[in-house]
Structures are given as structure tokens and as C-alpha cells.
């Protein structure tokens, strides 16, 4: 049936209470979203599953929770103050702002070559290779006031822009804030752009107190903030988002082995959430795409239908798994003047470990789950009428915000009492929900849209023989199950 579009997903998310626009009654705030009652459960299921699989289930991984605000020196050491920026250009005509790297990627090779020539920048091979674009951006940044108007820039959809460009300027992606009563340089700090640095600066505290020996990991889930220029695609790219990060510390010689290990483990994790294998892939970064501190990196990508445009296949990053070597700990040793190497009891020598990082986005995982689960179907109506359309979220039972909805067929003849008692009894073990409003058909449709895998209906027969019907979301098949068997039945069908 018809593919999921962004509009359909945003509309379902709002209709069912997964995601709302932030501050909606005031007209919203650009690219900022709030999670409603169902969204917060879905998000929590993702985070709980990650924590269970990455921390609880592993002897050699421990967790932590660092403050969002950190000493600004952390961001000097990490390189974010100096390097975490994009080059931006404004069009005086359209009043729109663009990222220069996005524009250059969309150009005809001659346009890129023309800009290179203007800057006296020499390159070999494809003008639009990532390597060349990165070098060219560096040349633009170094040259200062560069006029790009002679280049004939096209927009990312290959349309000529009637622009009148401003000169490109650098824009740091970190969100600034001031601590205390005065807003001056001395009180300036940043909202963290990644959770990882909280782990690095606590590395020795954690190693010592938890008495870890290599290889071992430190995991953290938390909010991160980036003043992204080009936000959009719903919760795919926002300025406030949540990360799930593992920093795995290993002897420096072992990084490539662990990079392979974590890439496979993390891909399998997304599969275990029920995401279709055909929509997931691992994309190794080419050498010219790597951050300067990274020896190798694999992205786990999901194919989002709404990122598919023109010739683009729609692959979007869910997680990056990177060999960061000893870069981070080296930088923190250098900037703090503190030694971060330690005596590893297993190796019996003093080591400064290297790091393999697995950095995932909670919101992007939620978006991938919603996109993957969204289906529209035509289902036969009870009578002989036209088939009707139903929207169903085929979330795996473990991810679904509601596991079981209990529905009294009508609000009389003892059915409401039995339904109430059943839902109260189920609540301790399952995410259970009670709904007595509207026709039974409408209640089923609502639960289909919420992704609820099971609906238990209390009907006339229940009062006679203590059985209920269990309706399966995907097949819409119904079975009669004894009231006292409902829990076991659900457990058996959850897997
Ligand atoms: P992108 O290239 O898409 O901007 P990135 O490579 O900068 O992402 P990382 O710094 O590797 O991203 O961050 C790790 C993860 O955090 C990403 O894989 C993504 O899931 C999530 N993430 C990063 N930036 C955002 C954002 N602006 N909104 C939502 N999630 C994000």
C-alpha cells in the first residue's frame, strides 16, 4: 500500500499523542518537539532496552549520568570550540540561509572547480569528492571574505537560486549559555553538544571506583544540544535531542577488532527492535570522510522513505561507531594537566586506553521505529460494504507503548466491572490500558494506530463462561481465552 510520508507520520504522531509541536499554542518553536503520553513510553522502551542490553546484561560495562553543563575548558580540549562549526551563506534575495557544504555537494563539477580556481585551491580527481569539498571549505574559511556570486550556485534540488549571496561565515554549533548573574566571557559555558565528554572527563573516577579493567565500557543516556542550521524532517534533526552513548576503552592495539564487534552488535540491536533488515545498513566511512581524530567509523543507517528525494535513496544515520583512538583522553590530559593513564590489573602495566565509541540517537531510533511500523491497509468491513482503510503501527510488542488494551463491549450487563478488574490485574505486569469509549470498531482502530499488539474484549459470553476475546493487531484474528489465562497467553505471544 501507499508509502509513509512525513505528513502522514506527523499527523498520526499528533493524533495519537506520540509527538506534539513544542509550545504549539504560541505558534511552536522551530524544529522543537514534545513527546506525548504514547511517545514518551515508546522513547522509554527504546532507552530501557538499550540500557538493559548495553549495561545490565554486560559485566564489563557500567553506566553514569553527567551534568549537561560542564567546565567550558572541556569543549576547548575536545575540539568543539575550534572545530564544531559550519560555513553559512545567506541569500539577500530569498532571505534564506544555507550550509555551504550542502550547496557545494549539489553543484555541477564546473561550479565547484570555478570556486576552487577563484581561491587558488588545487585538487586532483573529482571536484565533488568529500575530500575536495572538505578542503575547499577549509580554503573558504581561511580566505575570509569570499565572494561566491560568480560561481552560479544551485540549490540542493538542483534549481538555480536567484541569490545575491553574502560572504560565507562560520557558525559554531554549540549553544551558549551564561552561568550566574553576569553575561560576560567569564560566565560563558555551553549546553553539551554530545554526552561523550562527560564520560571522558570521568574516565578515571569510574575506572577506579568500579575497579574496571580493560576492555571495559562506560555508558550514558542524556540530552545533547546543537544549534543546527538546517533542521527538519520532524524529529530527525533537532536542536535538542537525546543520545545513547557507549565509550568502550580497549588496549590501543585492539581497536579494529572492537570496532567490528560493536558494529555487528549494534546492527543486531536495531534488528532486535523489530526493524526490517532491508531498511538497515552499515556504511563504513571512506578515508576522506573521517574526522581528523578517527581512524575508522561505521554508520548504521535506516532508509527513511521521506528522505528519498530525486536521486537520493533516503539513508539517514541512526548511529556512528567510531575508533577514536586515544584522541579524547590525550586531549584531556593535555588541557587539564592531569594524568589519565592507569595501572591495568589485567595487563599489569600503565596504559592510556584507546576508545571505540557507539553513539546513537534516541529520537532517530524512535523515528525509524515509527516509519518502519507505519502501514496503511484495506480491510473488509463486517457487512458487504466497501473495504475500509486502516492505519496500523506494527511495532514489536516489546516497543509498543501499550501492550494490551482492555475493552468492555458495552457499558452494561456486568462487563465494565470485569474489564476494570482485568485491567487492574494486568497493570502490574504489562502496559495495560482501559478504553470504554465509542463503538468497538473505533476502539480497535485507535489501538491499531497506537501500535497496541493485543486488545482484550469483555463481551456477553464473558459473564457466562469467564472467557474473553484476544484480538491480534496485525492479523486482526480473534481467539477466546479464559480470563485466568490472559496473562500467560500475553506472555507467550509477546516474544
Ligand atoms: P549528522 O551527520 O546527521 O548531523 P552526526 O554525524 O553529527 O549526525 P554524531 O555526532 O555522530 O552525529 O551523533 C551521534 C548520533 O546522535 C547520530 O547518529 C544521531 O542519531 C544523533 N544526532 C546527532 N545530531 C542530531 C540532531 N541534530 N538531532 C537528532 N539526533 C541527532
Amino acid at each position: 500500500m501507499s508509502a509513509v510520508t512525513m505528513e502522514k507520520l506527523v499527523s498520526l504522531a499528533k493524533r495519537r499523542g506520540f509527538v506534539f509541536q513544542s509550545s504549539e499554542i504560541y505558534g511552536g518553536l522551530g524544529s522543537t518537539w514534545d513527546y506525548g503520553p504514547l511517545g514518551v513510553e515508546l522513547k522509554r522502551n527504546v532507552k530501557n532496552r538499550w540500557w538493559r542490553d548495553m549495561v545490565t546484561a554486560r559485566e564489563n560495562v557500567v553506566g553514569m549520568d553527567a551534568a549537561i553543563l560542564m567546565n567550558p575548558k572541556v569543549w576547548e580540549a575536545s575540539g568543539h570550540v575550534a572545530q564544531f562549526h559550519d560555513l553559512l551563506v545567506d541569500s539577500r534575495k530569498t532571505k534564506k540561509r544555507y550550509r555551504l557544504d550542502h550547496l557545494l555537494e549539489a553543484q555541477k563539477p564546473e561550479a565547484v572547480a570555478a570556486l576552487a580556481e577563484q581561491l587558488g585551491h588545487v585538487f586532483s580527481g573529482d571536484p565533488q569528492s568529500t575530500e575536495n569539498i572538505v578542503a575547499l571549505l577549509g580554503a573558504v574559511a581561511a580566505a575570509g571574505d569570499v565572494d561566491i556570486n560568480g560561481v552560479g550556485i544551485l540549490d540542493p534540488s538542483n534549481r538555480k537560486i536567484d541569490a545575491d549571496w553574502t560572504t560565507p561565515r562560520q557558525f559554531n554549533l554549540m549553544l551558549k549559555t551564561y552561568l550566574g548573574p553576569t553575561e560576560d566571557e567569564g560566565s560563558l559555558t555551553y549546553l553539551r553538544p554530545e554526552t561523550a565528554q562527560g564520560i571522558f572527563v570521568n574516565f578515571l573516577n569510574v575506572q577506579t571506583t568500579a575497579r574496571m579493567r580493560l576492555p571495559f565500557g562506560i555508558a550514558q543516556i542524556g540530552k545533547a544540544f546543537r544549534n543546527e542550521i538546517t533542521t527538519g524532517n520532524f524529529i530527525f534533526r533537532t536542536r535538542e535531542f537525546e543520545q545513547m552513548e557507549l565509550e568502550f576503552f580497549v588496549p590501543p592495539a585492539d581497536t579494529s577488532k572492537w570496532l567490528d564487534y560493536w558494529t555487528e552488535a549494534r546492527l543486531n540491536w536495531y534488528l532486535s527492535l523489530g526493524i526490517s533488515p532491508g531498511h538497515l545498513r552499515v556504511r563504513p566511512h571512506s578515508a576522506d570522510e573521517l574526522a581528523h581524530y578517527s581512524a575508522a567509523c561505521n554508520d548504521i543507517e535506516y532508509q527513511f522513505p521521506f528522505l528519498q528525494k530525486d536521486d537520493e535513496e533516503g539513508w539517514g544515520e541512526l548511529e556512528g561507531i567510531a575508533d577514536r583512538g586515544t584522541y579524547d583522553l590525550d586531549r584531556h590530559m593535555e588541557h587539564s594537566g592531569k594524568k589519565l593513564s592507569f595501572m591495568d590489573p589485567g595487563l599489569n602495566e600503565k596504559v592510556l586506553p584507546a576508545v571505540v565509541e557507539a553513539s546513537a540517537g534516541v529520537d532517530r531510533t524512535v523515528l525509524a521505529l515509527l516509519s518502519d511500523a507505519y502501514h496503511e491497509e484495506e480491510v473488509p468491513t463486517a457487512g458487504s460494504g466497501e473495504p475500509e482503510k486502516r492505519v496500523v503501527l506494527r511495532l514489536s510488542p516489546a516497543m509498543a507503548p501499550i501492550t494490551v488494551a482492555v475493552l468492555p463491549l458495552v457499558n452494561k450487563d456486568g462487563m465494565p466491572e470485569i474489564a476494570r478488574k482485568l485491567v487492574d490485574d494486568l497493570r502490574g505486569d504489562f502496559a495495560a490500558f482501559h478504553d470504554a469509549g465509542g463503538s468497538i470498531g473505533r476502539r480497535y482502530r485507535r489501538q491499531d494506530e497506537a501500535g497496541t499488539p493485543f486488545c482484550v474484549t469483555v463481551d456477553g459470553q464473558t459473564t457466562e463462561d469467564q472467557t474473553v476475546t484476544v484480538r491480534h493487531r496485525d492479523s486482526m484474528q480473534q481467539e477466546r481465552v479464559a480470563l485466568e489465562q490472559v496473562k500467560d497467553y500475553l506472555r507467550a505471544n509477546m516474544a
Side-chain angles (χ1 to χ4, degrees), residues 221-466:
I221 299 179
K223 289 263 176 145
F225 302 82
R226 294 181 191 176
N227 205 0
E228 302 271 7
I229 320 306
T230 46
T231 52
N233 289 316
F234 197 24
I235 51 174
F236 184 80
R237 189 182 303 284
T238 51
R239 299 198 173 98
E240 172 176 347
F241 55 97
E242 214 165 350
Q243 291 188 313
M244 306 180 283
E245 294 199 298
L246 169 77
E247 305 303 326
F248 198 71
F249 299 92
V250 303
D254 292 352
T255 50
S256 79
K257 171 177 107 186
W258 285 107
L259 185 73
D260 291 349
Y261 170 86
W262 283 111
T263 303
E264 193 190 337
R266 296 303 303 147
L267 177 66
N268 287 337
W269 187 80
Y270 290 98
L271 292 169
S272 80
L273 305 187
I275 298 179
S276 334
H279 292 158
L280 283 168
R281 75 170 184 191
V282 172
R283 190 181 67 85
H285 281 204
S286 55
D288 52 13
E289 227 184 315
L290 291 170
H292 59 285
Y293 52 77
S294 181
C297 182
N298 298 321
D299 282 351
I300 296 184
E301 299 183 331
Y302 178 79
Q303 195 168 30
F304 289 96
F306 37 80
L307 294 185
Q308 288 172 356
K309 288 179 198 108
D310 303 330
D311 55 344
E312 305 214 2
E313 292 179 349
W315 293 100
E317 174 184 332
L318 297 179
E319 171 161 354
I321 300 144
D323 170 358
R324 298 176 69 114
T326 57
Y327 174 81
D328 301 278
L329 294 184
D330 276 336
R331 296 277 294 192
H332 285 302
M333 291 218 298
E334 196 183 304
H335 283 250
S336 68
K338 301 270 171 3
K339 267 217 159 51
L340 296 175
S341 54
F342 70 105
M343 189 68 186
D344 186 89
L347 299 175
N348 221 357
E349 58 177 320
K350 239 182 162 176
V351 278
L352 184 74
V355 176
V356 173
E357 170 184 87
S359 172
V362 179
D363 312 82
R364 286 194 190 172
T365 306
V366 166
L367 187 59
L369 284 170
L370 288 174
S371 314
D372 216 60
Y374 186 99
H375 288 85
E376 286 174 7
E377 295 175 347
E378 283 190 345
V379 292
T381 40
S384 54
E386 289 284 296
E388 56 176 303
K389 197 182 93 175
R390 79 160 179 158
V391 171
V392 53
L393 276 191
R394 294 206 187 117
L395 291 168
S396 80
M399 288 297 115
I402 301 170
T403 315
V404 53
V406 179
L407 320 170
L409 184 62
V410 289
N411 278 312
K412 56 181 185 187
D413 303 335
M415 293 177 218
E417 292 76 12
I418 298 176
R420 274 273 165 228
K421 190 166 172 294
L422 177 62
V423 77
D424 286 343
D425 184 36
L426 292 173
R427 257 186 234 288
D429 302 271
F430 304 94
F433 180 78
H434 177 262
D435 186 3
S439 76
I440 192 71
R442 287 184 63 164
R443 280 181 272 164
Y444 284 150
R445 293 290 171 272
R446 280 204 290 264
Q447 293 307 318
D448 287 345
E449 289 198 346
T452 307
F454 308 104
C455 285
V456 172
T457 305
V458 175
D459 56 18
Q461 199 180 324
T462 312
T463 54
E464 288 162 21
D465 67 2
Q466 305 294 303

Side-chain angles (χ1 to χ4, degrees), residues 41-58:
E41 296 295 338
L42 176 57
K43 199 176 178 202
R44 193 176 288 272
N45 287 341
V46 167
K47 290 191 281 183
N48 286 349
R49 180 63 94 87
W50 188 88
W51 197 265
R52 185 196 81 180
D53 293 346
M54 300 296 279
V55 184
T56 318
R58 295 175 190 271

Side-chain angles (χ1 to χ4, degrees), residues 172-177 189-192 225-227 239-240:
N172 194 287
L173 289 178
M174 281 199 293
L175 277 147
K176 294 187 173 109
T177 191
T189 188
Y190 305 93
L191 301 185
R192 66 180 175 198
F225 302 82
R226 294 181 191 176
N227 205 0
R239 299 198 173 98
E240 172 176 347

